Amino acid sequence: MDFSKYLKEYPDKDGKFGSYGGAYLPEELVPAMKEIEQAYLTICHSSQFINELRRIRKEFQGRPTPVYHCERLSRMIGNCQIYLKREDLNHSGAHKLNHCMGEGLLAKFMGKKRIIAETGAGQHGVALATAAAFFGLECTIYMGEVDIAKQAPNVARMKVLGANVVPVSRGLKTLKEAVDAAFEDYLANYKETIYCIGSVVGPHPFPMMVRDFQMVVGVEAREQFQEMMGFLPDVVTACVGGGSNSIGMFVPFLNDPVEIVGVEPLGRSEKMGDHAASMTYGSEGVMHGFNSIMLKDEKGEPAPVYSIASGLDYPSVGPEHAFLHDSGRVKYEVATDEEAVDAFFKLSRYEGIIPALESSHAVAYAMRRAKEMNTGSILVNLSGRGDKDLDYVIEKYGYGEKYKDFK
Ligand SMILES: *Cc1c(COP(=O)(O)O)cnc(C)c1O
């Protein structure tokens, strides 16, 4: 496949990446999505929008985030050099703000007064509440009661930022019910509201828009690495939940002689229900308004999933990933909970950087791969910082004494 015109060709006008993507929607919402698509396609060529987004990224988010050479970690493993794109240094501690600020700015340009979303672990909710405060938009976040009880610090952050956090008490009281509740709100209020999706998933135009907003990560990283080294890395890698930090990192490298690898969470085991490796173990299907690769139960419904990193436990993956997988351009590998925790402690001890458990999956893969290659370089997207995971990790794994030495 020729990737030189990739961004012009994908997605197509129906929001398709090959057979994946599209918009599978209740009829009432078709005009609402069309309105968002039209507004986005107009605005993304407007110099006013582009300049404002640039200013926000620089002055509010603190971009560009640096690329950092992990000298000590690399030396402990061997001769292959590991580099990190430091999205953990993006304001609010992860890559998610990149698309939330884009979505907020779009809402503002469209004259909407309100942005809404669901959140599981609360990371997307916090990023969206941050954007809402910045733009002066009303913000409602739906969250299952079970998740609210588990994620007290993020609930507090959202509230301090001025968001209205609505507890969802039906069904299992987790993410799925929160999605349903947010959807009902959107159906009733789409005239003044935008439903801001938190990854490169959902109906068109969200996989395209979120990708475009996240591409700043890969564009910066490619330029920074080239400037540091005079050449490009041999391998580029990132963790894959819904797929936003990874797609943003990968797309700018598609036309380069660079190996690209997405890392999915293998959790506790290969058994259904013990992991969330959708691409590795899933099959084609439609959920949440788009066609992609998904993990299904016997009835064809989205399967229960698990990962130690709550940002990765989604039973499907963005349609563009499914397409890049089938094209052979991007490879998908897995890392277990145990490997992620090992990487979490090693990056902390050897580099002074505490990574999010999500990002730790990509670091774990990079460490494994560096040992095999023993030459060349690997660039990892460090999607977020690990402060949010500290309490959980310490309770379950202590202070990591057993992870200190390189095996
Ligand atoms: C939410 C999250 C992810 C997973 O989402 P993607 O859309 O796959 O990027 C990864 N890392 C961090 C730090 C997150 O908060």
Side-chain angles (χ1 to χ4, degrees):
M1 209 181 128
D2 173 16
F3 285 95
S4 58
K5 291 199 218 79
Y6 180 79
L7 283 173
K8 284 210 162 69
E9 291 166 358
Y10 296 99
D12 69 14
K13 63 175 175 25
D14 300 318
K16 289 281 183 83
F17 300 87
S19 64
Y20 302 111
Y24 299 79
L25 288 165
E27 214 162 313
E28 308 97 282
L29 283 185
V30 173
M33 284 297 150
K34 268 270 167 272
E35 187 201 359
I36 296 177
E37 183 194 354
Q38 284 311 322
Y40 177 70
L41 291 175
T42 308
I43 277 164
C44 71
H45 299 292
S46 128
S47 60
Q48 200 194 349
F49 183 86
I50 292 166
N51 287 333
E52 182 61 3
L53 197 56
R54 281 200 182 133
R55 185 185 73 82
I56 290 167
R57 284 172 173 166
K58 180 160 178 258
E59 295 172 9
F60 183 64
Q61 293 182 234
R63 305 203 67 89
T65 57
V67 164
Y68 169 73
H69 180 199
C70 296
E71 274 189 54
R72 292 193 66 227
L73 185 75
S74 305
R75 200 178 325 125
M76 292 300 164
I77 299 170
N79 296 314
C80 177
Q81 303 305 309
I82 296 175
Y83 295 79
L84 306 176
K85 174 62 171 166
R86 297 287 310 273
E87 285 306 291
D88 60 317
L89 296 178
N90 197 15
H91 175 48
S92 81
H95 72 287
K96 284 198 174 72
L97 197 64
N98 297 329
H99 61 251
C100 286
M101 294 309 286
E103 288 171 328
L105 188 60
L106 178 68
K108 197 87 188 165
F109 267 73
M110 289 175 75
K112 305 281 179 186
K113 299 202 162 25
R114 184 168 174 263
I115 50 182
I116 64 169
E118 81 288 341
T119 195
Q123 296 296 105
H124 176 50
V126 169
L128 197 66
T130 303
F134 179 93
F135 292 109
L137 295 162
E138 268 178 62
C139 180
T140 299
I141 304 291
Y142 289 90
M143 194 167 180
E145 275 182 348
V146 169
D147 291 331
I148 288 183
K150 276 206 247 173
Q151 308 290 344
N154 275 343
V155 175
R157 287 166 86 192
M158 286 184 267
K159 289 184 174 169
V160 167
L161 289 161
N164 174 25
V165 181
V166 180
V168 179
S169 57
R170 64 180 94 158
L172 295 174
K173 306 175 190 181
T174 62
L175 185 62
K176 186 186 169 301
E177 291 77 23
V179 174
D180 294 341
F183 222 78
E184 283 164 25
D185 179 326
Y186 188 54
L187 267 172
N189 299 301
Y190 60 81
K191 292 220 163 58
E192 79 269 1
T193 300
I194 291 192
Y195 187 167
C196 293
I197 292 177
S199 188
V200 283
V201 299
H204 179 63
F206 280 93
M208 170 182 74
M209 289 194 320
V210 172
R211 177 217 39 207
D212 292 356
F213 291 139
Q214 285 297 345
M215 264 175 42
V216 65
V217 175
V219 168
E220 282 177 9
R222 189 178 179 283
E223 211 176 283
Q224 290 165 316
F225 194 94
Q226 179 97 44
E227 185 161 318
M228 276 169 90
M229 304 303 299
F231 49 81
L232 292 174
D234 296 295
V235 179
V236 168
T237 188
C239 65
V240 181
S244 65
N245 87 86
S246 48
I247 211 81
M249 185 68 164
F250 294 170
V251 169
F253 288 96
L254 285 178
N255 201 36
D256 293 321
V258 167
E259 196 186 324
I260 305 179
V261 183
V263 185
E264 297 197 299
L266 190 57
R268 292 182 286 245
S269 84
E270 291 169 18
K271 239 178 49 216
M272 186 69 92
D274 271 1
H275 64 79
S278 328
M279 190 76 83
T280 308
Y281 297 103
S283 55
E284 192 169 346
V286 173
M287 71 178 266
H288 298 163
F290 66 105
N291 182 41
S292 188
I293 304 285
M294 59 191 266
L295 291 168
K296 298 179 218 176
D297 63 15
E298 317 79 57
K299 292 196 224 111
E301 295 292 311
V305 283
Y306 161 82
S307 165
I308 189 171
S310 43
L312 299 181
D313 60 0
Y314 185 65
S316 183
V317 63
E320 190 165 7
H321 281 287
F323 174 72
L324 291 171
H325 169 267
D326 287 8
S327 78
R329 180 64 188 91
V330 178
K331 285 194 295 189
Y332 293 83
E333 302 279 350
V334 292
T336 62
D337 280 4
E338 193 60 31
E339 289 174 297
V341 171
D342 176 63
F344 175 93
F345 281 114
K346 284 188 178 142
L347 196 65
S348 301
R349 296 281 165 94
Y350 285 92
E351 299 292 346
I353 298 170
I354 303 175
L357 281 173
E358 289 82 2
S359 326
S360 300
H361 286 73
V363 177
Y365 171 75
M367 285 166 44
R368 192 202 305 156
R369 195 59 204 282
K371 199 166 170 187
E372 285 167 23
M373 287 164 59
N374 207 27
T375 180
S377 55
I378 304 177
L379 175 61
V380 183
N381 192 16
L382 198 77
S383 53
R385 68 178 181 223
D387 310 42
K388 68 182 178 60
D389 299 314
L390 273 181
D391 289 349
Y392 179 81
V393 170
I394 290 165
E395 194 191 311
K396 228 173 139 203
Y397 298 90
Y399 291 95
E401 290 75 10
K402 78 175 244 219
Y403 298 93
K404 225 166 59 192
D405 299 315
F406 274 81
K407 294 169 207 139

